[in-house]
Amino acid sequence: MIQTLEERLARYPVERYPVQHATAQFHLGVALTNEGRLPEAEAALGTAAGVFSGRMPVEYAKTMNALGAVLRMQGRSSESIDAFRSAETLFATAGLRPEEGAALYNLGLAQHDDGDLAGAIASFRRAGERFADGNAKARAASMRELGAALLQTGDIVAAITTLTQAIEIARNMGDQPGLGGAANVLGLAHLAAEEPLDAIAAFRLSAAANPRSLRPAEYAMAKANLALAFEAAADQPRALLAAGQAAAVASASAPVLTLAREVRARLGARPGTLFVVLDHEPLETWPGVVREELARWIDLEQSAREAELTTLIDALTSSPREGDLAEAWLGAVLELTPQAGDCLLYTSPSPRDRQK
């Protein structure tokens, strides 16, 4: 792709074919951005902008919007703000509301990076209005960012209202990543409002919308925050379970892993928490609870996994609901890949081994 665009640039020198050259430079800049080659992308987009400026206002606006994104990705938020403002003004003049909304959304992100929360709130609010009659997914994203900014300013009531609306829009669109992101921020808002039960519901929704197998980092974030919510609700076993599931995700961000490990250290993590939780769960939820915990066990080091499996054997031999537990356990194991199932079945210490 990049080589083809470079060849096109050679065929259309800017002196003879300025528009064709600028168009190729624009597409090259986008392609280089996608490759992470940001300085080269900035150069290509800057060349395109120079040709389009004063000649083709809409193409210039599109180029400035792309250039603003590249500048922001390089940590140059103040410069990106100027680029996004130029794009937004030109799109508004041309009556292109969705494109104006995209520029406003990007402007809000840059203003947030620059510490201008009031400006970010205004931009996200206007972006949502521009998307009201069109792109519902983009509108939900604008409202999610608006809610997060409102929460940072301490306007918790407005944040909860805005984030609830973002969740409903994302749900109606079938946008699971958007739903999960908005629900996670909503949970934080409920925690700030000292409403742990509502926070628990929001973080559970976020984790469900971000399955561990598809979006592990987002799943881990929701689970770490869920642990905080359970801790605030004085439910230590469920807090430990959620924190352990977050801490087991290797691709989770460093702050998420730190948070999860702090909760586990604070509450005293120990094997067997799963069965304490199951004692207070309705039977119909057991398969899901067991399934999520087994996903954690698979990623544990062998000694830690064997410690958990030992607690399973104890529960199977002592629980009055051993039949229900065995059914939930085997059902969850059968859903795993053969390799994952084997690591649980064949590292399990037998009662005879444990007596030696």
Side-chain angles (χ1 to χ4, degrees):
M1 177 67 173
I2 291 175
Q3 181 179 350
T4 300
L5 289 167
E6 289 174 338
E7 291 171 355
R8 188 177 300 170
L9 288 173
R11 288 199 308 271
Y12 296 106
V14 67
E15 297 82 7
R16 293 185 60 190
Y17 305 100
V19 173
Q20 293 91 329
H21 185 90
T23 301
Q25 289 280 18
F26 170 79
H27 291 296
L28 177 61
V30 172
L32 289 167
T33 302
N34 293 335
E35 292 286 327
R37 296 162 61 177
L38 301 182
E40 296 170 82
E42 180 184 347
L45 292 168
T47 299
V51 175
F52 287 139
S53 178
R55 180 180 282 146
M56 303 177 73
V58 172
E59 285 71 15
Y60 177 69
K62 291 178 180 178
T63 304
M64 293 303 289
N65 196 36
L67 179 59
V70 171
L71 293 169
R72 178 173 175 261
M73 291 168 70
Q74 295 179 88
R76 293 152 62 187
S77 56
S78 296
E79 294 174 70
S80 71
I81 286 172
D82 292 336
F84 292 135
R85 279 183 172 148
S86 295
E88 182 264 325
T89 300
L90 288 168
F91 284 136
T93 300
L96 299 174
R97 289 176 65 84
E99 289 81 359
E100 182 189 358
L104 283 165
Y105 177 80
N106 288 333
L107 175 60
L109 294 176
Q111 289 169 318
H112 184 276
D113 293 345
D114 210 40
D116 181 8
L117 285 180
I121 288 170
S123 295
F124 290 135
R125 185 170 281 125
R126 290 174 61 206
E129 292 169 356
R130 299 303 182 272
F131 292 129
D133 299 326
N135 192 332
K137 184 175 180 179
R139 183 165 184 254
S142 299
M143 296 184 72
R144 180 190 68 235
E145 296 298 333
L146 172 60
L150 288 167
L151 177 59
Q152 284 186 271
T153 65
D155 195 345
I156 299 173
V157 174
I160 290 173
T161 299
T162 302
L163 292 163
T164 301
Q165 292 173 349
I167 288 171
E168 288 308 308
I169 295 171
R171 179 183 283 121
N172 292 336
M173 287 291 298
D175 176 14
Q176 290 298 103
L179 171 61
N184 186 66
V185 184
L186 178 62
L188 295 175
H190 282 304
L191 276 182
E194 299 183 354
E195 299 166 345
L197 297 183
D198 289 328
I200 288 167
F203 291 134
R204 278 177 160 168
L205 178 60
S206 180
N210 290 306
R212 192 179 195 268
S213 59
L214 293 180
R215 290 178 287 278
E218 291 80 0
Y219 169 87
M221 180 185 297
K223 282 289 182 172
N225 288 332
L226 180 60
L228 284 181
F230 276 129
E231 185 180 16
D235 189 340
Q236 291 192 4
R238 287 188 176 89
L240 282 168
L241 204 67
Q245 289 164 2
V249 179
S251 60
S253 68
V256 166
L257 291 175
T258 298
L259 172 59
R261 290 164 183 164
E262 286 176 349
V263 172
R264 285 170 59 79
R266 191 160 57 240
L267 300 183
R270 53 198 175 276
T273 302
L274 170 64
F275 309 106
V276 178
V277 170
L278 290 179
D279 282 342
H280 298 89
E281 284 281 331
L283 185 60
E284 60 267 21
T285 68
W286 280 27
V289 175
V290 172
R291 189 184 307 115
E292 283 199 288
E293 183 64 355
L294 292 199
R296 181 182 78 88
W297 290 9
I298 290 166
D299 289 336
L300 294 175
E301 294 183 0
Q302 184 170 339
S303 60
R305 184 165 59 247
E306 288 182 351
E308 294 288 2
L309 288 165
T310 297
T311 66
L312 169 67
I313 293 170
D314 291 338
L316 286 171
T317 57
S318 63
S319 172
R321 305 175 71 179
E322 60 181 279
D324 293 330
L325 179 56
E327 182 179 351
W329 160 261
L330 290 175
V333 169
L334 290 174
E335 293 180 12
L336 300 172
T337 64
Q339 182 179 5
D342 287 350
C343 91
L344 292 175
L345 292 171
Y346 296 113
T347 59
S348 176
S350 68
R352 182 181 301 173
D353 291 336
R354 292 194 298 115
Q355 289 172 1
K356 291 182 179 180

